[in-house]
Amino acid sequence: MAPIFQDVNLYCLLPELVLLTGAVVLLFVRGAGRGSAALPVAATTVIVALAAVPLLWGERAVGFGGMIVKDNGALLAQALLLITALVSFAAAADALPERKNNGEYYSLLLFSLVGMGIMTAAGDLLVIFLGMEILALSLYVLVGFLKVVRAGMEGAVKYFLLGSVASAVFLLGLALTYGATGSTQLVAFTAPATMPALLPAAAVLLVVGLGFKIAAPPFHMWAPDVYEGAPISVATYISVAPKIAAFVVLLRLAGESAGPGREALTGAFVFMSVAGMAVGNLAALRQTSLVRMLAYSGIAQAAYILIGLPALSAGGAAAVSFYLLVYMFMNLGAFASLAHLSRRRTGTLRIDDLAGLASRAPGHAFALAVFMIALTGIPPTGGFFAKFYVFKAGIQAGYLGVVLVAVVATVVSCFYYLRVVMVMYGEEGGAGLRGLPAGVTMLGAAIGVMVVMTILTGILPERFLQAASAAFPLLAAGM
Amino acid sequence: METAIFWGLSFCAVAAALAVVFLRQAVNGVMSLLALMLVMAGLYLLLGAQLVALFQLIVYAGAVLVLFVLVVMLLNLERKPARPLLYPGKPAVASLLALCGAGFAAILRWAPPPGGGPMGGAVKPAPPIEQLAIDLFTERLLIFELTSVLLLAAAVGAIVMSRKAGDLS
Amino acid sequence: MTLYHFLGLGLLLFAIGAAGFVIRNNAVVLLLCIEIMLNAVNLILASFARYLYGAEGQIFIFIIMTVAAAEAAVGLGIVIALHRGHGTLAMNRIKDLKG
Amino acid sequence: MNPDCLWLLLAPPALGFLVNGLMGRRLPASITAAVALAAVGLPLAVALGFLLEMTAAPPEARVVATSLYTWLSDGDFQVRVGLLLDPLAMVMSLVVLGIGFLIHIYSVGYMEGDVGYRRFFAYMNLFVFFMLLLVLADNLVLTFCGWEGVGLCSYLLIGFWHERKSACDAGRKAFIVNRVGDFGFILGILLTITAFQTVDYGELAEIAATAPGDASPIIALMVLLIFMGAMGKSAQFPLHVWLPDAMEGPTPVSALIHGATMVNAGVYLMCRLSPLLNRCPEVLLVIAVLGLVTALYAALAALGQRDLKRILAYSTISQIGFMFVAVGSGMYALGIFHLVTHGIFKGLLFLAAGAVIHTLGGEQDLGRMGGLFREIPAVAVAFLAGLLALAGVFPLAGFFSKDAILWGGFQRFGASFWIVSLSGALLTALYCGKLFGVFFGPRRDEGPPHRPGALLIWPPAVLALGALIAGVLGLPMFAQDTLLSRFLGFASPAVASGQGHELEVIMTVFQGMVIPAFLAASAYLFVRRRRRMEELERAFPRAAAFLADGFGLDKLNALLLATPLRGAARFSARIIDNRIIDGAVNGVGWAAMRAGRLLALLQTGELRHYALSILAGAVALLGAALYAAGIF
C-alpha cells in the first residue's frame, strides 16, 4: 500500500497557506469602521504572502504529485494578484461603509486569492476547477457585499448564475478530457488519447469556462453589469485579478495542447479575440458611465492579450505575461482613480462629471490621463509595448489578419479613451466632483505607484520583459 | 435485463429533467429534481458505482435538495400567483439546445471510433471502495483539502449573504 | 448498452439543463437547472470511469457533488438576499443594469 | 562632439513640462514663462554648440550617436533608446528649437491673462520634447514614440479652448485623421521588424544597400505604409482635412505645430528613410505625384478661403506638398531646404497673423480686414516679407527653394510635371496677393485697434530677417551641391540629366519674373479692385450679368482669371473637403457609433439573453471545433 501522505511538499503552497491563515483569522476580527483591525490584518497577510514569492522564485517547487507546480509563471502571476489585492484594499478602505463589519469582506478576498494562487500553479484540471470555484464563490458574495445596494444584488445574482453555468460548461470539458485521455492533468493534452475525437470538444468547453473569467465575447455580457453593480473596490479587483489567473491557465492549456485539440484552441482564441476587439471597442464608444466604459475597455484589452495565445511559438508567452503585467498597472490604476473620485458618491460616475478635473485636482487628472493613454497604447507608456509585443508575436506566428483588426481596433479605442482626457483637461470650471479628498490617502499613494509603474514599463520595458519571458520559459521553448 | 433498466431509468431521468424545466411552481421543480437525483442514483448503480449512488442519495437528495425546499418555503414562493414562466418563442431556443445535445450524442455514437476505440461492452471492473479511499488520500489529497477550503469559503459567503442587510455580525 | 448510451443520456440531460436555464425566469429554478447540468457531468464521468479507466472518475464525482453543494449554499444565500432587496425572483424584472 | 551631452537637448523641455504641469498652480505667471523659455532656450544653445562643432568636422565625422540603453530585446531583435544627431537631425532640431524659442517668447505676450496660461506652456514644452525625440531618435520605434507624443500635444492644444465646441471637434478630427495615418505607420514598423529584424536607421540603410533584389517589393510596401503615416502627420491629400480645422487652436500653436514643425515631420521621416526610398522609384513617383496633387489642390482651396488663418493652413498643406515633390524627385536636400525656409516664413506669417487678429480683437474674417498698414506698420512689414517669401520672390528664401524644386521636378519627371508644379507656384502667388488686402486699402473694421505689445512684434521681426536671408543656404545657385545639401550629404538616386545649365538659368529667370507678376496682379486686384472682386464673388452664379455690365480690362482679366479659379477653389474647399472627406470621416464614426449602440442594445440587462450568449457561443465554438477536426 502506498504511503498515506505521499509527496505532499506543503512548501510549494506557502503563500496560499499564509493567505488561508489570514482568511480564517479575519473571521474572528470584530469591530467595524476605521477602528477595525480587519484591514491591517488583511494587508499584513497579503504582504507576508508577497514576501514568500521571492523565497520560492526560481525553485519550481512541485508538490502533491505534480498537481501543484509553483514555477516562475505561477509566482509572477501570484505577485500581480497580491498587488492587485493590496490596491483594492486601499480602495475598500474608502468605499466600504463605516458601520459594516468588514472582517468578512477581507476574509473572502483572501479566500479568492487562495483560489487564484491554486489556479495559476495547478497542473491538473480538477485542481484548476477547484481554484476557480473558491475564487468564484468568494467573488459572487463580494459583488453583493453591500446588500442594501440594489444594483449590487443584481450584479451578484447575475454573476453567480452565469458563472455557475460557465463552470458547468468547464466541468463538461473536464469530463470529456478525462474521457479522451483517462487523466485530467494538463499534460494529458499532449499524451496519446484513447478517444482523440473528444479532445477538440473538451478543449473548447474548457475555454468557454475560462473565457467567462476573462470576459471574452460571447461570454462577456456579465462584465459591465457586474462592474457597475459591485462596490468599486470589488470592481477594481474583478477587472484585473481573475483575468490574470485565467490567462495563466489559458497559457498553460495552450502550451500543453497538441494536434486537433490545439487547432480547436487556436480557433477559439482567434474567434474570441476578434469578437472581443469588435464588441469591446464599439460598445465602449457610446458609454456615458466611466465604469461601464472601463468594463468594455477591459473586454477589448483581454482580446488584445488573446492574440498572444495562439502565437506561443513566436514569443507569445512572454508577450502575454508582459501584457498582463502592464494591464495590471494601467487598468488597476484606472479603476483605483475611479474609486478615488467616486467615493462616497451615490450613483455611477459619468465621464462628463470629470469636466475640468485638471484644474481642480491636477494630480488625479494627470494620473487618469496617463492610464487612459497607456490603455490606448500610446508610447512611451507600458501600454504601447504591451500591444507592440503581442502584435509582433501575432504577425510572426502568421496571424496578420487578427493583428490588422487589432490595429484598427486600437484606432477606434482612441475615441473613448482620449475623450476622458479631453473632458478632464476641458472646461476650466466643470460642475461635478466637488469635495475631493485632500492630502495623501492610501489610495492616492497606490495610484501614484501605478502611474510610475505604467510609465516605467514604457521607459524601461526590458527588465520587465525579461522577467515575463523568464516566467514561462518552457512554453516558449517547447512550442 | 440491464438494457431494459437502462432505458427505463433514462426515460425517467429525461422526464424528470424536463419536469424541472417545465413545471411552473418552484416547489414542483424541486421535487422533480429530487426524482432526477433518485434516478441518477439508479444509473450509478447500473454503472457499478455503488459509493457514488450512496452519496448521491445522502448528499444530494438528503442535504442539497432539502436546502432548496427550505428556501422555497422560506420565501413563500407558492403564494405568488403563478405567472407565466415560459416565454413564447423560447421553446424554440430550448429545443435547439436540446437538439445540439442529442446531435452531439449521436455524433459520439455513430462517428467512426478513431483508432478502434472502445465501443462499450469492455467494462472495467468496479474498483473496491478501499481503493477509492486510498486514491483520495494519496494521489488526490490536494483536491480533498481544497474542497474543504471551498466549503469554508462557501460557508462564509452564505452567512454574509443570508444575514439581514443592516446587521452587524 | 454501451458507453455511448450513457454519454448520450448525460449530454441530453446537460442540454435540457442548459435549455431550462435559458427559458426559465425564476432564480431558484435557474439554480435547479444548474444542478441538472452538474448531475449530467457526473453521469458522464461515471460512465467514462466504468467503461474506460476505473476508479478515478468516481472521486471526481464526489468532488463535484461537494462543489454543487457549496454553490447551492451560496446561491441560495444570494437568492434570499435578492428576494429581500427586490421582492421578486423573476429575473426578467431585475434589469436595472444594462446598456 | 561629446555624444553624452545629447540628452541635454531633451531633458530641459521635459523638465519644463513637469515643473509647469505639476507645480504650475503655485507658481506666478512670470516664473511659468521663464521656466518655459529656459526649457527651450537651453537646448537651443546646446544645439548651436553642436552645430559649430559639426560644421568644423569633416563630413564623415558629422554624426553624433549615443545609445542610452536597450529598450527591449528579443533574440537578435533589439530596440535601443538611442539618439542620433546627424546633419539632417541637426537642421531639423534647429528649426524646432529656433522657431520654437521665438514662438515661446511670442506666446508669453499672446497668452497673457488666459486662464490656461500654465497649461499652455506645459503642453508647449511637452510638444518640444516629443518633437525633439521624434527628430533625434535613431530608430523607427522611438521616432514613433515622439510621433504619437506630438500628435497628443497637437490634439490637446487644438482643443485648448474647450468652451468652443468647434475647438473640441477640431481636436478630435485631427486625432482621428492622424490615427488613420498612424495605422499605416504601425503596420510599416511591424512589417520592418518581421522582414528585417531591425528598426535601427543605420542598419536599415545597410540593408537597403545590401539586400538582394527580391527584397525590393517588401521595402516598397514598408516605405509606402510608413508614408501613410507621413501623409497623416504632414496633412497630405486626402488626409489633410484636419489641418484647416486645427486653426481653432491658439495662434502660437498654429505657428509652431501646424505651420513650422510638426506638420513637417512626415517630410523629415521620408528623408530619414532615403536610403530605402532610393531603392524603390515607384514609391518615389507616388510621393511626388501625391505631393503635386496636394500642392495644387490646397493652393486652389486657399484661394477660396475667407478666414485668415485657414488661408495660411491651406498654404501650409500646399507648401508641404512641394516638399514631397522634392522628396519624390529624390532631391531630399531640397525638401529639407524648403522645409527650413517654409518653417521660417510660415512661422512668421502665423505670428504676424496672430498680431493682426489681436489688433482686431479676435477678428479672423478677411472681409473685415483692410488698411491696417498704418496701424501696425512693423507687423505689416514682417507679414509682407513673409508673403513675398511664400510666393517665391527674389531674393527671399522661398524663391531659392521653390525654384530648385521646380527644376528638380522638371529634371526627373519632365516638362508636364513642371508645368503643373509651376501653376501651383503661380496659385501661391495669387493667394499671397489676396492677403495684401489686409494691410492696404480702406479700413474695414470697427472700433479702436488693440495695438500689439513688443512681445508680439519682435519674434515675427526676427523671423522676417530669417526669411530675407535663409536663401543663402541654397547658394550657389544652379549648382548640384549647395551649402545645405553639402552639409546634409544625401545620396540621391541617379538621374539621367540631359539638360544643361542654360535651360535651368532660363527657367529660373522666367519663374523669377512671372511669379512676381502674378503676385503684383493679384495684389492689385485684391487691394484696388477689392470691392469688385467681392461683388464678383457674390454674383458668381450670375456671371452673365457681370459680363453685360461691361468692366474694363482689369475686370475682364479678373473674370477670366478669378472666376474659374474661384469656382474651382470653392469646389475643392467646400465640396471635396466638407462633403466627401469629412463625410467619410464622419461616416465611419457614425457607423462605429451605430454599431456600438446595437451592441449596447444586446446588453439588455436580462439574464436569459446573457446566458443564451454564453451557451450559443459555446455551441458555435463546439460546432466549429468538431467541424475543423473532421468529425462532422
Side-chain angles (χ1 to χ4, degrees):
Chain A
M1 205 179 107
I4 296 291
F5 295 116
Q6 174 194 42
D7 186 23
V8 168
N9 192 8
L10 279 175
Y11 182 56
C12 68
L13 284 181
L14 190 58
E16 282 75 18
L17 290 176
V18 172
L19 292 168
L20 202 55
T21 316
V24 173
V25 169
L26 276 167
L27 292 177
F28 299 97
V29 172
R30 296 269 147 190
R34 293 239 168 239
S36 163
L39 178 57
V41 171
T44 314
T45 311
V46 170
I47 290 167
V48 172
L50 201 52
V53 169
L55 209 64
L56 288 163
W57 187 264
E59 291 204 5
R60 200 167 187 281
V62 179
F64 298 94
M67 283 197 177
I68 290 289
V69 184
K70 263 290 190 228
D71 57 5
N72 286 355
L75 288 169
L76 179 72
Q78 188 148 44
L80 299 187
L81 296 169
L82 292 170
I83 295 169
T84 307
L86 280 178
V87 174
S88 98
F89 285 169
D94 279 349
L96 294 183
E98 301 276 340
R99 286 178 53 242
K100 190 105 179 158
N101 177 16
N102 295 335
E104 285 152 349
Y105 176 93
Y106 293 110
S107 174
L108 283 167
L109 225 141
L110 294 188
F111 272 120
S112 75
L113 282 173
V114 173
M116 287 187 289
I118 300 286
M119 270 172 85
T120 53
D124 187 293
L125 285 173
L126 195 62
V127 179
I128 291 175
F129 174 72
L130 284 171
M132 268 168 66
E133 280 298 308
I134 296 173
L135 161 71
L137 289 183
S138 326
L139 285 186
Y140 300 149
V141 177
L142 285 173
V143 169
F145 193 75
L146 307 176
K147 279 171 293 178
V148 281
V149 183
R150 277 174 65 92
M153 275 323 298
E154 181 177 341
V157 74
K158 280 179 176 172
Y159 193 24
F160 171 77
L161 289 169
L162 295 172
S164 301
V165 169
S167 43
V169 174
F170 183 92
L171 266 183
L172 185 60
L174 185 146
L176 294 187
T177 311
Y178 173 65
T181 65
S183 159
T184 52
Q185 289 183 325
L186 280 174
V187 287
F189 272 92
T190 38
T194 320
M195 297 177 73
L198 283 181
L199 268 183
V204 163
L205 292 172
L206 293 174
V207 166
V208 172
L210 293 163
F212 178 84
K213 290 266 175 289
I214 59 173
F219 319 115
H220 68 288
M221 295 186 103
W222 58 275
D225 292 3
V226 169
Y227 290 8
E228 190 181 350
I232 186 68
S233 54
V234 178
T236 305
Y237 186 66
I238 299 183
S239 72
V240 177
K243 282 192 189 180
I244 293 177
F247 263 112
V248 171
V249 174
L250 282 172
L251 265 177
R252 293 189 196 280
L253 194 62
E256 297 292 357
S257 62
R262 177 159 177 71
E263 281 166 27
L265 278 180
T266 302
F269 290 149
V270 168
F271 172 73
M272 293 197 302
S273 174
V274 173
M277 290 184 278
V279 169
N281 286 305
L282 291 176
L285 279 179
R286 60 172 305 279
Q287 297 302 323
T288 51
S289 147
L290 190 55
V291 68
R292 286 189 86 85
M293 189 277 269
L294 284 176
Y296 284 111
S297 124
I299 291 168
Q301 296 286 334
Y304 300 133
I305 307 179
L306 274 170
I307 298 174
L309 286 178
L312 289 186
S313 55
V320 167
S321 44
F322 181 68
Y323 204 127
L324 287 176
L325 180 96
V326 176
Y327 176 75
M328 183 199 74
F329 290 129
M330 59 192 185
N331 209 54
L332 206 51
F335 266 94
S337 305
L338 171 62
H340 197 88
L341 297 172
S342 61
R343 54 179 240 144
R344 308 254 184 280
R345 253 180 92 84
T346 49
T348 57
L349 188 72
R350 289 177 308 126
I351 294 174
D352 293 341
D353 292 338
L354 297 174
L357 189 69
S359 54
R360 263 199 311 285
H364 294 319
F366 176 74
L368 194 49
V370 168
F371 299 134
M372 289 297 129
I373 287 168
L375 284 166
T376 321
I378 294 178
T381 57
F384 170 70
F385 281 109
K387 281 209 177 73
F388 181 82
Y389 252 82
V390 168
F391 291 178
K392 178 171 161 286
I395 286 189
Q396 280 178 346
Y399 295 97
L400 185 64
V402 185
V403 174
L404 272 176
V405 175
V407 176
V408 174
T410 310
V411 173
V412 171
S413 73
C414 289
F415 280 89
Y416 58 88
Y417 286 129
L418 295 168
R419 184 164 145 234
V420 175
V421 180
M422 270 306 239
V423 167
M424 286 191 305
Y425 285 84
E427 297 119 66
E428 288 290 332
L433 285 187
R434 302 258 170 232
L436 285 172
V440 179
T441 60
M442 210 158 43
L443 189 53
I447 294 171
V449 173
M450 295 297 130
V451 171
V452 171
M453 293 311 291
T454 304
I455 297 176
L456 212 59
T457 45
I459 295 178
L460 300 166
E462 187 60 20
R463 197 51 75 72
F464 298 96
L465 197 70
Q466 270 166 7
S469 31
F472 295 98
L474 292 176
L475 288 182
M479 296 298 296
Chain B
M1 181 61 196
E2 275 195 351
T3 314
I5 294 175
F6 171 78
W7 287 112
L9 287 176
S10 300
F11 178 77
C12 294
V14 172
L18 287 175
V20 176
V21 172
F22 288 104
L23 286 179
R24 288 190 173 188
Q25 303 288 1
V27 72
N28 294 343
V30 177
M31 290 306 149
S32 308
L33 188 64
L34 179 61
L36 178 61
M37 298 301 160
L38 299 178
V39 175
M40 293 291 291
L43 284 166
Y44 289 139
L45 282 177
L46 202 56
L47 283 168
Q50 289 88 349
L51 194 64
V52 176
L54 190 66
F55 276 27
Q56 177 81 5
L57 292 181
I58 297 173
V59 177
Y60 251 129
V64 177
L65 280 183
V66 170
L67 200 60
F68 271 96
V69 174
L70 201 71
V71 170
V72 170
M73 292 305 170
L74 185 72
L75 300 183
N76 271 334
L77 292 179
E78 297 323 301
R79 295 226 188 111
K80 305 264 182 213
R83 302 175 62 82
L85 293 175
L86 206 59
Y87 298 92
K90 290 301 180 288
V93 175
S95 36
L96 196 69
L97 277 173
L99 259 182
C100 285
F104 192 33
I107 292 158
L108 284 173
R109 176 66 185 86
W110 284 292
M119 288 296 293
V123 178
K124 295 272 164 174
I129 289 173
E130 185 191 2
Q131 185 58 43
L132 279 183
I134 291 171
D135 267 10
L136 189 58
F137 291 104
T138 55
E139 270 183 59
R140 306 275 161 184
L141 178 64
L142 179 67
I143 54 175
F144 178 74
E145 296 295 342
L146 283 180
T147 44
S148 59
V149 176
L150 176 71
L151 284 174
L152 184 58
V156 176
I159 290 169
V160 169
M161 271 292 125
S162 44
R163 215 168 30 218
K164 277 209 174 99
D167 288 356
L168 292 173
S169 70
Chain C
M1 61 270 160
T2 66
L3 168 62
Y4 294 111
H5 287 90
F6 283 98
L7 283 187
L9 177 60
L11 290 168
L12 189 59
L13 287 177
F14 193 92
I16 292 175
F21 195 89
V22 176
I23 62 172
R24 288 305 295 268
N25 197 20
N26 182 312
V28 172
V29 178
L30 297 186
L31 279 175
L32 297 179
C33 290
I34 292 169
E35 296 296 336
I36 295 179
M37 288 194 258
L38 293 180
N39 269 284
V41 172
N42 278 349
L43 183 63
I44 290 169
L45 278 170
S47 46
F48 278 135
R50 174 65 167 169
Y51 283 93
L52 295 177
Y53 305 111
E56 264 184 333
Q58 297 192 17
I59 295 179
F60 300 160
I61 300 177
F62 299 146
I63 303 296
I64 293 174
M65 278 183 187
T66 320
V67 171
E71 253 183 25
V74 172
L76 289 171
I78 291 179
V79 162
I80 290 173
L82 182 76
H83 191 264
R84 263 193 211 131
H86 288 244
T88 178
L89 291 181
M91 292 306 298
N92 65 346
R93 282 201 264 157
I94 303 175
K95 50 175 182 181
D96 295 336
L97 301 173
K98 62 182 169 194
Chain D
M1 287 181 284
N2 188 353
D4 294 337
C5 293
L6 274 180
W7 63 270
L8 274 177
L9 289 170
L10 281 172
L15 277 178
F17 162 69
L18 287 179
V19 170
N20 276 337
L22 295 180
M23 311 170 14
R25 265 215 307 192
R26 282 163 219 151
L27 300 176
S30 55
I31 304 265
T32 295
V35 167
L37 283 179
V40 185
L42 278 179
L44 178 60
V46 175
L48 286 172
F50 272 117
L51 178 68
L52 281 182
E53 290 184 57
M54 199 178 271
T55 43
E60 320 77 70
R62 282 181 181 165
V63 178
V64 195
T66 175
S67 180
L68 298 182
Y69 57 92
T70 303
W71 210 0
L72 46 94
S73 66
D74 182 13
D76 291 339
F77 169 68
Q78 276 199 343
V79 181
R80 280 166 291 119
V81 175
L83 302 180
L84 169 76
L85 187 71
D86 61 353
L88 174 62
M90 184 79 241
V91 171
M92 197 68 191
S93 320
L94 281 177
V95 170
V96 172
L97 287 167
I99 300 178
F101 186 63
L102 287 172
I103 291 174
H104 271 72
I105 295 178
Y106 179 90
S107 310
V108 172
Y110 193 85
M111 298 304 290
E112 202 173 4
D114 195 284
V115 204
Y117 196 73
R118 164 189 59 87
R119 189 157 56 98
F120 178 83
F121 281 107
Y123 291 163
M124 288 289 266
N125 279 175
L126 188 65
F127 168 78
V128 171
F129 168 74
F130 277 126
M131 192 67 208
L132 285 174
L133 189 66
L134 190 165
V135 170
L136 294 173
D138 75 347
N139 63 67
L140 277 171
V141 176
L142 195 60
T143 297
F144 184 73
C145 194
W147 188 270
E148 288 292 297
V150 289
L152 187 72
C153 293
S154 153
Y155 172 65
L156 289 170
L157 281 165
I158 294 170
F160 185 76
W161 284 318
H162 291 260
E163 315 74 83
R164 299 189 198 159
K165 188 178 173 300
S166 55
C168 288
D169 290 347
R172 205 165 299 146
K173 189 168 171 187
F175 209 85
I176 295 159
V177 175
N178 269 298
R179 288 265 116 192
V180 176
D182 291 350
F183 169 72
F185 197 165
I186 282 227
L187 288 181
I189 293 179
L190 287 171
L191 182 65
T192 313
I193 293 169
T194 332
F196 304 119
Q197 289 291 314
T198 182
V199 285
D200 186 277
Y201 290 130
E203 286 169 29
L204 282 176
E206 267 172 44
I207 286 171
T210 58
D214 57 353
S216 286
I218 295 179
I219 295 181
L221 179 61
M222 195 185 112
V223 178
L224 262 183
L225 283 170
I226 296 178
F227 178 59
M228 228 176 115
M231 280 166 64
K233 191 115 301 184
S234 290
Q236 293 299 286
F237 186 87
L239 296 184
H240 66 281
V241 282
W242 63 273
L243 190 60
D245 285 9
M247 297 300 124
E248 289 288 342
T251 301
V253 172
S254 311
L256 180 62
I257 301 181
H258 308 119
T261 57
M262 183 188 83
V263 285
N264 296 329
V267 179
Y268 169 78
L269 186 65
M270 286 295 116
C271 292
R272 250 296 155 239
L273 297 176
S274 62
L276 296 170
L277 275 175
N278 285 342
R279 279 195 61 148
C280 9
E282 319 80 25
V283 177
L284 281 176
L285 182 64
V286 169
I287 293 176
V289 169
L290 215 74
L292 190 60
V293 168
T294 310
L296 202 67
Y297 157 82
L300 270 174
L303 209 49
Q305 297 305 314
R306 291 181 63 83
D307 183 299
L308 180 57
K309 280 176 75 180
R310 286 178 80 90
I311 294 184
L312 294 179
Y314 273 111
S315 145
T316 306
I317 298 173
S318 165
Q319 296 303 311
I320 297 172
F322 278 115
M323 294 176 211
F324 275 115
V325 169
V327 169
S329 318
M331 313 274 185
Y332 306 108
L334 267 184
I336 294 295
F337 181 31
H338 196 54
L339 188 155
V340 173
T341 56
H342 171 259
I344 292 173
F345 60 67
K346 193 48 65 67
L348 153 63
L349 283 171
F350 269 116
L351 292 189
V356 168
I357 292 166
H358 175 89
T359 309
L360 298 179
E363 182 59 64
Q364 297 196 14
D365 184 358
L366 215 55
R368 307 217 180 146
M369 296 178 181
L372 289 174
F373 193 91
R374 241 164 300 158
E375 301 297 335
I376 39 172
V379 173
V381 167
F383 198 105
L384 294 176
L387 283 181
L388 293 179
L390 171 60
V393 174
F394 185 82
L396 281 87
F399 169 77
F400 295 92
S401 51
K402 205 169 285 175
D403 175 65
I405 288 175
L406 292 180
W407 172 246
F410 175 74
Q411 260 188 321
R412 179 130 180 122
F413 300 111
S416 44
F417 195 89
W418 175 75
I419 290 173
V420 180
S421 34
L422 179 63
S423 38
L426 294 179
L427 282 170
T428 309
L430 287 182
Y431 67 72
C432 285
K434 184 175 177 180
L435 290 175
F436 274 67
V438 173
F439 297 103
F440 301 106
R443 286 284 298 276
R444 294 180 150 219
D445 54 302
E446 295 116 31
H450 316 264
R451 280 181 214 290
L455 282 178
L456 264 55
I457 291 174
W458 286 112
V462 173
L463 283 172
L465 199 65
L468 278 175
I469 59 170
V472 173
L473 292 174
L475 295 177
M477 287 190 78
F478 313 126
Q480 274 304 317
D481 42 340
T482 58
L483 220 56
L484 186 69
S485 69
R486 219 175 309 148
F487 181 64
L488 287 170
F490 277 110
S492 292
V495 180
S497 163
Q499 287 82 17
H501 268 313
E502 300 77 20
L503 185 60
E504 193 181 352
V505 175
I506 294 169
M507 280 167 67
T508 302
V509 173
F510 173 65
Q511 283 155 204
M513 281 157 53
V514 72
I515 288 178
F518 262 67
L519 181 66
S522 161
Y524 172 76
L525 285 175
F526 280 100
V527 175
R528 282 294 153 82
R529 305 287 171 212
R530 190 166 176 194
R531 206 168 292 274
R532 298 271 189 221
M533 292 299 284
E534 279 166 2
E535 278 165 16
L536 194 68
E537 204 170 326
R538 273 194 291 276
F540 170 64
R542 287 172 291 149
F546 241 91
L547 271 176
D549 216 15
F551 293 100
L553 188 64
D554 56 4
K555 287 154 208 155
L556 187 65
N557 188 6
L559 195 69
L560 286 178
L561 191 73
T563 313
L565 283 184
R566 195 163 294 282
R570 192 171 297 173
F571 179 75
S572 35
R574 302 217 180 128
I575 306 296
I576 296 190
D577 260 23
N578 294 351
R579 297 278 156 71
I580 299 175
I581 297 171
D582 270 22
V585 170
N586 296 339
V588 170
W590 179 83
M593 291 301 278
R594 275 310 277 260
R597 189 173 312 162
L598 223 81
L599 286 169
L601 277 183
L602 287 180
Q603 190 84 15
T604 52
E606 279 206 45
L607 186 82
R608 284 178 293 130
H609 300 154
Y610 296 5
L612 190 62
S613 164
I614 293 179
L615 292 169
V619 169
L621 279 182
L622 205 58
L626 291 177
Y627 180 76
I631 292 177
F632 278 163

